[in-house]
Amino acid sequence: MYWNLKMPSPPPARYGGRHTVTLIPGDGIGPELLSHVRELFRFCCVPVDFEVVNVDSTMTSEDDINDAITAIRRNGVALKGNIETNHNLPPSFISRNNLLRTSLDLYANVMHCQSLPGVRTRHRNIDIIIIRENTEGEYSSLEHESVSGVVECLKIITRTNSLRIADYAFRLARERGRRRVTAVHKANIMSLGDGLFLQCCKEVAAGYQDIAFDAMIVDNTTMQLVSKPQQFDVMVMPNLYGNVVSNVCAGLVGGPGLVPGANYGTDYAVFECGTRNTGKSIADGNIANPTAMLLASCLLLDHLRLHAYATMIRRAVIATVTETRLHTADLGGQGSTSDVVQSIMKEIQSTGPLTQNI
Amino acid sequence: MAASSAVISMSKIIQPIWGGRLATTAKVFGATVSSRREKSTVPPPAKYGGRHTVTLIPGDGIGPELLNHVKELFRFSCVPVDFEVVNVSSATEDDINNAITAIRRNGVALKGRRNSLSAYTVSPICVSLSHSTSLDLYANVMHCKSLPGVQTRHNNIDIMIIRENTEGEYSSLEHESVSGVVECLKIITRTNSLRIAEYAFKLAREKGRKRVTAVHKANIMKLGDGLFLQCCREVAAGYPDIAFDAMIVDNTTMQLVSKPQQFDVMVMPNLYGNVVSNVCAGLVGGPGLVPGANYGRDYAVFETATRNTGKSIADRNIANPTAMLLASCMMLDHLKLHDYATMIRNAVLTTMNETQLHTADIGGQGTTSEVVQAIMRNIQSKGPLTSEL
């Protein structure tokens, strides 16, 4: 199957000069944070309309999620909260988030972990881009119990997907002016599976002479991350290691409330909080940190080529996070979500173009 | 399955009364019950002429150098242990079988890490695994504790990590049915999960720990990790004095880098164990400080926890000997030579407090031999008779 490496994607559709974006509130803190996003967009007069699709995590029928997928196919872009996966439902019930990613073939999950100036952490100057294969690997949901008491889970690694994600990683590194790509693997144990992944990365690396490439075993990687995270630049890896490494990095830069995540496919893009938490315990308490979701919406605006709005909102969010007294509970402060959002809106109003009244 | 569990529960009831005599009746009931024999029926380590024999596998990289220091220290402290050295330098099956036979003979081993075959070639046997699986060393135990003299970003860490050592993602079962599509099998079985959970709770009780956390990814791998979690819950029900909770692996790693003090004892399948133990080792100061132990029903093998070969620092006298020395102390505890173990351990920890003796991995400039000399001097000043320095 020939797939064009540098496929020119059509510009995002604009009807009457406005974009339509699918919004999936999800569970936990999702609805609350996404309503703040909508409030902020309306305040800044961003030409984006949201089409809200609710996915009920308690229902076992797949209609809800299929509606959401159809809406995303229609609009091309989505912003979502995390949908909870109930452990007590039978194993045939596939995680809704996972189903969304595989049906839309959102093969690359990109998470940019950057130390923010106002947030005090144990490590400084972290700037790592993590590119994680999003559709296969350990998340294939293929398990069976042939003999009672013995479960086999299949981890699938394919050549096409590995080449695809490696190519995405190197292209992104080149676009952003990055120097080094590190592949994270466990090929000493899983020599066929991760060996194939590593081989594909090496093949792609040969075509990008300006970017250095090296490989590191996942256990050594995690140990280096907690002692010297500044050594990493861009990292590419299969699904499960990506999950672990991205969570370690999020913890290093200040927690799940600060890092946005993006899932890209050839035709669609879905934006969310990087660490995919539902945050059930802090839902509706006005204490959640809106930074991650707001930065995710800035990534969304960049994807829609509304760069001016994206930069404006991003600058305001970063300026607000620098103010220690506005820090929410997860950063050790006592601010509330609405305080933070109000402050961001004031910041935008003082620096900028026409906005509505607060 | 039901019949054997009935037998097991029956054996649990009559065990306290019958004690060791159950061993013979156990043989009558068959292999399933013998796998749940209580510790009291394991024979004490063999002593010939009052001395133990321990298999020593030097391995590659810094292994030989560090194990020499261990031998030197043992000789200096007059520890009644003799080492039977078995080299596994080539990848042939014979060498590996010799090593396994030696461990079977002696019951205990101390080992360095072998270089795995090149990561890019397909290896028919994964050498490091065959030790664990043929000897059925099902529990890998790592105790990560903040050392007072070592400056790290986090303080007061005291976590015990119990990792399933034989199955899970490390089953080495992979195949390429269609060209370009590789399937790796991760195996989780009920018996092994119950076994490791039982081990974890027993260890927690022995050491007076309050809480056991199971680490899993059951929201994605529902059947596999779901089974593991269920087994942990079943075992937890039998230990009401110990709190039990479960945490997903991604949340666990994030909590570990922000608030590691919340964890007490953790139990998990093989791959998560690998990652989590490396994160914890990084948090307390690096791979040079933490010892690891692999326990089976009949055998025990001790090594450094993070299983590094340390190829780049081999033979340069800069490796940190702490991990290997603490591993040898764990071995002495296993052989019930507690006095020697405490003596050496105290000396090692006291030496660690001296910042000027820190090796390169913890930010100092000391050499391996300096550290070992300091430990020996410490032992000499404290204690019982030793050889000449």
Side-chain angles (χ1 to χ4, degrees):
Chain A
M1 185 178 94
Y2 173 78
W3 101 97
N4 195 351
L5 291 178
K6 264 196 105 56
M7 203 156 78
S9 46
R14 296 169 75 154
Y15 297 100
R18 296 179 71 80
H19 299 266
T20 311
V21 169
T22 309
L23 192 83
I24 303 172
D27 301 307
I29 50 174
E32 169 182 356
L33 294 182
L34 288 169
S35 63
H36 284 301
V37 172
R38 275 194 285 184
E39 194 185 326
L40 188 65
F41 275 24
R42 197 173 307 137
F43 174 77
C44 306
C45 303
V46 176
V48 166
D49 292 317
F50 287 108
E51 178 188 348
V52 181
V53 184
N54 280 306
V55 177
D56 190 350
S57 57
T58 54
M59 290 181 57
T60 47
S61 83
E62 297 203 351
D63 288 344
D64 269 359
I65 192 69
N66 285 336
D67 287 342
I69 292 172
T70 315
I72 301 176
R73 285 211 165 99
R74 188 168 49 232
N75 296 321
V77 199
L79 188 61
K80 71 182 272 281
N82 202 33
I83 304 165
E84 194 188 337
T85 309
N86 192 343
H87 294 207
N88 299 323
L89 291 174
S92 52
F93 179 85
I94 302 177
S95 153
R96 292 300 178 239
N97 302 303
N98 207 12
L99 194 55
L100 204 133
R101 290 191 286 269
T102 44
S103 326
L104 297 169
D105 201 26
L106 300 169
Y107 63 90
N109 177 288
V110 179
M111 199 164 118
H112 186 183
C113 292
Q114 229 182 349
S115 294
L116 295 177
V119 180
R120 236 170 54 115
T121 50
R122 293 189 169 86
H123 301 265
R124 298 187 187 294
N125 300 324
I126 298 177
D127 193 355
I128 306 175
I129 299 183
I130 299 167
I131 296 157
R132 160 189 176 186
E133 213 293 329
N134 218 6
T135 50
E136 56 174 21
E138 296 82 351
Y139 288 43
S140 317
S141 289
L142 293 166
E143 305 178 280
H144 53 263
E145 194 170 353
S146 351
V147 176
S148 162
V150 177
V151 174
E152 293 180 356
C153 310
L154 274 89
K155 161 181 164 160
I156 315 280
I157 303 270
T158 56
R159 194 172 165 69
T160 23
N161 287 347
S162 304
L163 283 173
R164 192 167 64 160
I165 194 69
D167 190 70
Y168 186 92
F170 278 91
R171 248 188 309 145
L172 191 73
R174 184 173 267 175
E175 272 174 42
R176 306 268 180 105
R178 299 287 194 151
R179 295 276 136 69
R180 196 161 70 102
V181 173
T182 307
V184 179
H185 65 97
K186 189 85 186 155
N188 50 346
I189 301 290
M190 287 175 260
S191 33
L192 270 188
D194 285 350
L196 176 62
F197 180 81
L198 207 50
Q199 199 186 330
C200 295
C201 289
K202 284 177 79 179
E203 283 177 25
V204 173
Y208 290 81
Q209 297 292 336
D210 51 328
I211 300 175
F213 170 74
D214 58 354
M216 202 183 261
I217 300 186
V218 63
D219 46 17
N220 191 19
T221 307
T222 43
M223 187 153 58
Q224 299 287 332
L225 272 172
V226 296
S227 34
K228 266 189 315 190
Q230 295 80 4
Q231 61 180 300
F232 294 104
D233 193 2
V234 177
M235 300 167 85
V236 64
M237 59 203 87
N239 218 332
L240 183 68
Y241 312 144
N243 189 4
V244 171
V245 169
S246 56
N247 274 271
V248 173
C249 291
L252 292 173
V253 300
L258 293 177
V259 196
N263 304 285
Y264 295 105
T266 25
D267 305 315
Y268 313 109
V270 174
F271 301 88
E272 55 179 352
C273 291
T275 46
R276 302 174 177 170
N277 303 81
T278 32
K280 244 189 337 179
S281 53
I282 54 172
D284 298 322
N286 203 17
I287 53 174
N289 194 337
T291 311
M293 196 56 94
L294 291 170
L295 289 176
S297 64
C298 293
L299 290 176
L300 165 72
L301 292 172
D302 272 323
H303 182 81
L304 294 173
R305 318 228 177 115
L306 295 168
H307 298 295
Y309 291 103
T311 329
M312 176 177 82
I313 297 178
R314 190 175 287 129
R315 204 163 356 128
V317 172
I318 307 272
T320 309
V321 144
T322 316
E323 302 249 357
T324 328
R325 62 188 168 82
L326 282 171
H327 280 182
T328 42
D330 61 316
L331 298 174
Q334 287 165 338
S336 65
T337 319
S338 33
D339 282 345
V340 178
V341 177
Q342 289 284 317
S343 164
I344 292 171
M345 295 208 271
K346 275 200 290 275
E347 178 72 34
I348 291 176
Q349 192 170 50
S350 61
T351 52
L354 76 111
T355 53
Q356 295 186 344
N357 293 329
I358 297 186
Chain B
M1 209 51 143
S4 55
S5 56
V7 169
I8 290 166
S9 50
M10 188 168 72
S11 68
K12 273 186 127 94
I13 294 167
I14 57 180
Q15 174 67 24
I17 311 166
W18 287 48
R21 295 202 289 176
L22 187 62
T24 37
T25 40
K27 288 197 182 69
V28 172
F29 282 115
T32 45
V33 179
S34 66
S35 68
R36 309 266 287 184
R37 262 195 332 217
E38 295 298 321
K39 249 184 139 39
S40 54
T41 56
V42 173
K47 293 172 82 158
Y48 298 101
R51 297 178 71 78
H52 298 267
T53 312
V54 169
T55 309
L56 192 82
I57 303 172
D60 299 314
I62 49 175
E65 173 182 352
L66 294 181
L67 289 170
N68 271 336
H69 286 299
V70 171
K71 277 197 279 188
E72 195 183 324
L73 189 64
F74 275 24
R75 195 172 309 136
F76 173 78
S77 318
C78 301
V79 176
V81 166
D82 292 315
F83 287 109
E84 178 188 349
V85 181
V86 183
N87 279 307
V88 188
S89 43
S90 60
T92 59
E93 284 220 43
D94 282 344
D95 269 358
I96 300 160
N97 286 335
N98 287 342
I100 293 175
T101 316
I103 301 177
R104 283 215 166 99
R105 188 168 48 234
N106 297 321
V108 193
L110 189 60
K111 71 186 273 278
R113 184 73 171 163
R114 259 195 92 264
N115 276 327
S116 32
L117 301 173
S118 164
Y120 310 142
T121 61
V122 175
S123 55
I125 34 161
C126 192
V127 179
S128 51
L129 287 188
S130 51
H131 285 198
S132 307
T133 42
S134 27
L135 298 169
D136 202 25
L137 300 167
Y138 64 90
N140 177 286
V141 180
M142 190 165 125
H143 187 183
C144 290
K145 218 164 120 117
S146 293
L147 295 177
V150 180
Q151 236 217 356
T152 49
R153 291 188 172 86
H154 302 264
N155 296 320
N156 299 324
I157 298 177
D158 193 353
I159 306 176
M160 291 200 79
I161 298 168
I162 296 155
R163 159 189 177 189
E164 214 293 330
N165 216 8
T166 50
E167 58 174 20
E169 298 80 353
Y170 288 34
S171 319
S172 280
L173 293 166
E174 306 177 279
H175 52 262
E176 194 170 354
S177 351
V178 176
S179 161
V181 177
V182 174
E183 292 180 357
C184 309
L185 275 90
K186 160 179 165 162
I187 315 280
I188 304 269
T189 56
R190 196 172 163 69
T191 23
N192 287 347
S193 303
L194 282 174
R195 192 167 63 162
I196 193 69
E198 183 71 46
Y199 185 91
F201 277 91
K202 246 195 304 165
L203 192 71
R205 185 172 266 174
E206 270 174 39
K207 307 267 173 143
R209 298 287 197 152
K210 299 272 140 59
R211 196 160 73 100
V212 173
T213 307
V215 179
H216 65 96
K217 188 86 186 153
N219 51 345
I220 300 288
M221 285 176 261
K222 295 190 200 314
L223 272 186
D225 286 349
L227 176 62
F228 181 80
L229 206 50
Q230 199 188 331
C231 295
C232 289
R233 287 213 171 95
E234 285 176 24
V235 173
Y239 290 80
D241 52 325
I242 301 176
F244 171 74
D245 58 352
M247 201 184 261
I248 300 185
V249 63
D250 46 17
N251 191 20
T252 307
T253 43
M254 187 152 58
Q255 299 286 332
L256 270 173
V257 295
S258 34
K259 265 189 317 189
Q261 294 80 4
Q262 61 181 299
F263 295 104
D264 194 1
V265 178
M266 302 167 84
V267 63
M268 59 201 88
N270 218 329
L271 182 69
Y272 312 145
N274 190 4
V275 171
V276 168
S277 56
N278 274 271
V279 172
C280 290
L283 292 173
V284 299
L289 295 177
V290 196
N294 303 287
Y295 294 104
R297 196 194 56 199
D298 304 316
Y299 312 111
V301 175
F302 301 87
E303 55 179 355
T304 56
T306 45
R307 304 178 176 175
N308 305 79
T309 38
K311 243 188 331 183
S312 53
I313 53 172
D315 296 322
R316 284 167 50 191
N317 205 17
I318 53 173
N320 194 337
T322 311
M324 197 56 94
L325 292 170
L326 289 176
S328 62
C329 292
M330 290 178 78
M331 180 186 78
L332 292 172
D333 272 325
H334 182 82
L335 293 173
K336 306 207 170 96
L337 295 169
H338 298 295
D339 294 333
Y340 292 102
T342 330
M343 176 177 83
I344 296 179
R345 190 176 287 128
N346 284 340
V348 172
L349 293 176
T350 318
T351 311
M352 263 306 111
N353 285 342
E354 305 247 356
T355 328
Q356 43 162 149
L357 282 170
H358 282 182
T359 43
D361 60 317
I362 33 184
Q365 287 166 340
T367 61
T368 320
S369 31
E370 273 174 32
V371 178
V372 177
Q373 290 283 319
I375 293 170
M376 295 207 273
R377 270 198 300 271
N378 198 304
I379 293 176
Q380 190 170 51
S381 61
K382 291 286 173 52
L385 73 111
T386 53
S387 309
E388 292 305 300
L389 242 171

